[in-house]
Amino acid sequence: MSVPAEAPAGPAVGVDVGGTHVKAGLVDAHGRVTSEAHRRTPARTAAAAVVEGLVVEVVRELLKQVPPGVRARVPVGVGAAGFVDADRGRVVFAPHLSWRDEPLRDTLEARLGRPVVLDNDAHAAAWAEHRFGAGQGESHLVVLTLGTGIGGAILTHGRLQRGRHGLAGEFGHQQLVPGGLPCECGNQGCWEQYASGRALTRLAREALRVGGPAGAGLRAAGPGDDLSGVTGEHVWRAARDGDPTSRRILAEVGRWLGTGLAGVVGSLDPGTVVVGGGVSGAGDLLLDPARETLAGTLVGRGHRPVPPVLAARLGPRAGVVGAADLARRRDPASSPSTAGDR
Amino acid sequence: MSVPAEAPAGPAVGVDVGGTHVKAGLVDAHGRVTSEAHRRTPARTAAAAVVEGLVVEVVRELLKQVPPGVRARVPVGVGAAGFVDADRGRVVFAPHLSWRDEPLRDTLEARLGRPVVLDNDAHAAAWAEHRFGAGQGESHLVVLTLGTGIGGAILTHGRLQRGRHGLAGEFGHQQLVPGGLPCECGNQGCWEQYASGRALTRLAREALRVGGPAGAGLRAAGPGDDLSGVTGEHVWRAARDGDPTSRRILAEVGRWLGTGLAGVVGSLDPGTVVVGGGVSGAGDLLLDPARETLAGTLVGRGHRPVPPVLAARLGPRAGVVGAADLARRRDPASSPSTAGDR
């Protein structure tokens, strides 16, 4: 397995397929997005082919902007929200889309007439942070993506660790509270119920429901008394303006983040933890309590370094940038296990 | 980093340094222990040099049994209970011994006049199970060592993953119960308080304390009414003889084992899980409830394979066998991160 010392310098297309949007970008060798294209993802009941069609559309739209002489050599990388078997190029299961063991890579390669690299969206985003963002230069990295839930990725020795079936990094469903809050996965008390965007909105709704002065700052930040309209962003905007309720909510979610992180760091011993995804927009109001809890509960504390917990730097484009860079590199050594491995 | 396709065929010495014993063996290239030597470890207050002296003693004792012509080439591997920086050859912290940032490898090399490989004892045991035991042929492996606590190791692509500082695999201190049982690490509700030898003895003592028919089977298995004398072995012996209380205890500990495993498997996606250590002597009475809980709670169940959970095969010699094999191979690619990695 030879690793190219330098990836090719030309542009690549990265596509990020989520539950609500297909985002794509033309990405240069420095991780800069020079052009973008978007589509809304149809309802989860839509046929698999509909989403595939949207991916083909955005890729073609971006390829038109590449000089004809280079166009044929532009690689395409796709990061998809779901269980992705990167090695076999299949989406095994996508909770927010209708893909079930879908041979997406082969389908896209046939329709686009070029090689396509397929990976999980959280893996792609983590790769981008490792290459161009907050995890640059760190060979042992854990990246958490805090959105509605908690996604994640593990890098060791500078390579994505995908596990036996490409499913590694699903940190969000560790049980932290026996008999706790019900989770979409069918269990109760999963970490992501306490330390994700879902936790922020749940706590914000509770504060608004109580009414009175506790919810005043939140109401002023946007949602009014609309319980269903409150978002994580309302919470951290109000927190930045000094609202004590919103600060308490971020601190509570941050402490849960740190509690789960102590388990992850104890298990994996990364040199750095990067926290990305929409919720990481809350910044240090969320991350400081997480850092404090991690430092105060990590096994062996006092006899070992506590890894820094850094905010991701690439924002919502991380998935696009990472997918493009994975495609540009096509590093066989960062693929998941192959049959020969076993 | 070149990996020797075949390790040298000669014997190697493996040493397993625990809180109570120094165990050593002469191990052939097939993982067979051809000769053994033991010492009791002195109290944890004993000077570091005392334990080092015991290691030197057992190694010399075993080397005498090797033909003089071969003796100079016999490598030595040491697995030590504690935080080991394998790359720098140091025991960073050993909770049951007086080592604190101790340059054990260099000290032993100087005293023994030959190269010494130093690693964590759970890593050494896991390596043995991968090479010669229940994890043979599996490149993506998680090995749990259930003793008083829970130790562990991660192999991906057939290599030990030690993390940034050599401390990966400390699974036992994930919080599973907020405000739960106090743990030696200073936290509460750690996994190892619910799914280790300590959990077995705690539940057995409770049953004996209650008295009456519930504790009858356990009392008959050995400890009588001696609460302080009850061990995990009493529990599984009584369970095998059909004692319902002991079976209930093993099932409860097994379910906690499965609950934590669901988090580990979700995070790492191993192809196989191997459970070793003293407590694994309980066999399927412990492992079946763990398997059931894992299969019933793993994220994405129904859309992914659930890895088999196998009992370790090498028993209490795993640490000795693994340390010897790591020394024989001295595979630089399975060392922890080096400075150049970063």
Side-chain angles (χ1 to χ4, degrees):
Chain A
M1 300 198 290
S2 68
V3 183
E6 277 301 317
V13 172
V15 187
D16 187 354
V17 184
T20 58
H21 281 86
V22 174
K23 296 187 283 188
L26 204 56
V27 183
D28 74 13
H30 305 285
R32 288 177 299 227
V33 178
T34 57
S35 187
E36 290 184 283
H38 294 260
R39 296 289 186 282
R40 280 197 81 80
T41 315
R44 86 164 70 180
T45 48
V50 175
V51 180
E52 280 158 27
L54 295 179
V55 173
V56 170
E57 260 180 55
V58 291
V59 172
R60 289 196 177 134
E61 188 177 318
L62 291 167
L63 287 174
K64 279 189 198 140
Q65 301 172 39
V66 178
V70 182
R71 201 175 290 162
R73 293 194 305 276
V74 174
V76 174
V78 177
F83 285 172
V84 173
D85 184 336
D87 194 37
R88 290 166 56 237
R90 297 176 93 92
V91 180
V92 177
F93 173 60
H96 306 296
L97 297 163
S98 62
W99 287 327
R100 300 290 181 270
D101 201 26
E102 191 71 22
L104 184 60
R105 183 187 60 196
D106 291 353
T107 307
L108 292 175
E109 286 189 341
R111 293 187 64 180
L112 291 165
R114 67 189 64 228
V116 171
V117 165
L118 176 69
D119 211 324
N120 168 271
D121 58 344
H123 289 182
W127 182 251
E129 291 293 337
H130 170 62
R131 286 275 295 144
F132 308 110
Q136 231 174 324
E138 175 58 77
S139 60
H140 286 71
L141 189 63
V142 164
V143 180
L144 293 186
T145 304
L146 303 190
T148 314
I150 300 180
I154 304 161
L155 276 103
T156 61
H157 298 286
R159 294 178 184 177
L160 280 169
Q161 293 296 338
R162 298 184 174 88
R164 157 63 60 212
H165 315 96
L167 311 178
E170 286 285 343
F171 297 117
H173 300 278
Q174 304 188 43
Q175 179 194 288
L176 253 66
V177 183
L181 293 166
C183 183
E184 283 79 353
C185 77
N187 298 339
Q188 288 178 274
C190 293
W191 185 23
E192 72 171 35
Q193 293 300 324
Y194 298 85
S196 67
R198 200 179 276 116
L200 284 184
T201 50
R202 173 175 51 83
L203 294 168
R205 278 177 199 161
E206 282 173 13
L208 288 171
R209 193 175 291 126
V210 168
L218 258 175
R219 266 192 298 278
D225 282 316
D226 177 12
L227 294 186
S228 66
V230 66
T231 66
E233 211 174 328
H234 292 134
V235 179
W236 73 76
R237 268 205 239 122
R240 277 186 195 158
D241 291 343
D243 173 43
T245 300
S246 299
R247 291 194 166 211
R248 181 188 56 70
I249 291 173
L250 286 179
E252 178 174 341
V253 171
R255 283 192 299 269
W256 279 112
L257 180 58
T259 297
L261 265 180
V264 170
V265 171
S267 300
L268 297 174
D269 184 25
T272 300
V273 175
V274 171
V275 178
V279 177
S280 68
D284 288 341
L285 289 170
L286 177 80
L287 295 184
D288 276 344
R291 291 171 182 131
E292 221 170 281
T293 303
L294 170 63
T297 59
L298 179 60
V299 57
R301 55 194 174 278
H303 301 286
R304 65 183 293 169
V306 178
V309 178
L310 307 178
R313 285 215 308 254
L314 296 179
R317 285 167 172 168
V320 164
V321 172
D325 199 68
L326 285 170
R328 187 184 292 107
R329 298 168 71 85
R330 294 181 63 75
D331 171 1
S334 68
S335 316
S337 62
T338 54
D341 240 330
R342 189 162 173 149
Chain B
M1 300 198 292
S2 68
V3 183
E6 276 302 317
V13 172
V15 187
D16 187 354
V17 184
T20 56
H21 282 87
V22 174
K23 296 185 284 187
L26 204 56
V27 183
D28 74 13
H30 305 285
R32 288 178 298 228
V33 178
T34 57
S35 188
E36 290 183 284
H38 294 259
R39 296 288 185 281
R40 280 197 80 81
T41 316
R44 85 163 72 178
T45 48
V50 176
V51 180
E52 279 157 28
L54 295 179
V55 173
V56 170
E57 260 180 55
V58 290
V59 172
R60 288 195 179 136
E61 189 177 318
L62 292 168
L63 287 174
K64 278 188 201 142
Q65 300 171 41
V66 178
V70 182
R71 201 175 291 160
R73 294 194 304 276
V74 174
V76 173
V78 176
F83 285 172
V84 173
D85 184 336
D87 193 37
R88 292 165 56 236
R90 298 176 93 92
V91 179
V92 177
F93 172 61
H96 306 295
L97 296 164
S98 62
W99 287 326
R100 300 290 181 270
D101 201 25
E102 191 71 22
L104 184 60
R105 183 187 59 196
D106 291 354
T107 307
L108 292 175
E109 286 189 341
R111 292 187 64 180
L112 291 165
R114 65 188 65 228
V116 171
V117 165
L118 176 68
D119 211 323
N120 167 271
D121 59 344
H123 290 181
W127 181 252
E129 291 293 337
H130 170 62
R131 285 274 296 143
F132 308 109
Q136 232 174 325
E138 175 59 76
S139 60
H140 287 72
L141 189 63
V142 164
V143 180
L144 293 186
T145 305
L146 302 191
T148 314
I150 300 180
I154 304 162
L155 277 103
T156 62
H157 298 286
R159 293 177 184 178
L160 281 169
Q161 294 296 338
R162 299 184 174 89
R164 156 63 61 211
H165 315 97
L167 311 179
E170 286 286 342
F171 297 117
H173 299 278
Q174 305 188 42
Q175 179 194 289
L176 253 66
V177 183
L181 293 166
C183 184
E184 283 79 354
C185 77
N187 299 339
Q188 288 179 275
C190 293
W191 185 22
E192 72 171 36
Q193 293 300 325
Y194 299 85
S196 66
R198 200 180 274 117
L200 283 185
T201 50
R202 172 175 52 81
L203 293 169
R205 278 177 198 161
E206 282 173 14
L208 288 172
R209 194 176 290 127
V210 167
L218 257 175
R219 265 191 299 277
D225 283 316
D226 178 11
L227 293 187
S228 65
V230 67
T231 66
E233 210 174 328
H234 292 133
V235 179
W236 74 76
R237 266 204 242 123
R240 278 187 196 156
D241 290 344
D243 173 43
T245 300
S246 299
R247 292 194 164 209
R248 181 188 55 72
I249 290 173
L250 285 179
E252 178 174 340
V253 171
R255 283 192 298 270
W256 280 111
L257 180 58
T259 297
L261 266 180
V264 170
V265 171
S267 299
L268 297 174
D269 183 25
T272 300
V273 174
V274 171
V275 178
V279 177
S280 68
D284 288 341
L285 289 170
L286 177 81
L287 295 185
D288 276 343
R291 291 171 183 133
E292 220 170 282
T293 304
L294 170 63
T297 59
L298 179 61
V299 58
R301 55 194 173 279
H303 301 286
R304 65 183 292 170
V306 178
V309 178
L310 307 178
R313 284 214 308 253
L314 296 179
R317 286 168 171 168
V320 165
V321 171
D325 199 67
L326 285 169
R328 187 184 294 108
R329 298 168 72 84
R330 293 181 63 76
D331 170 1
S334 67
S335 315
S337 61
T338 53
D341 239 332
R342 185 161 177 155

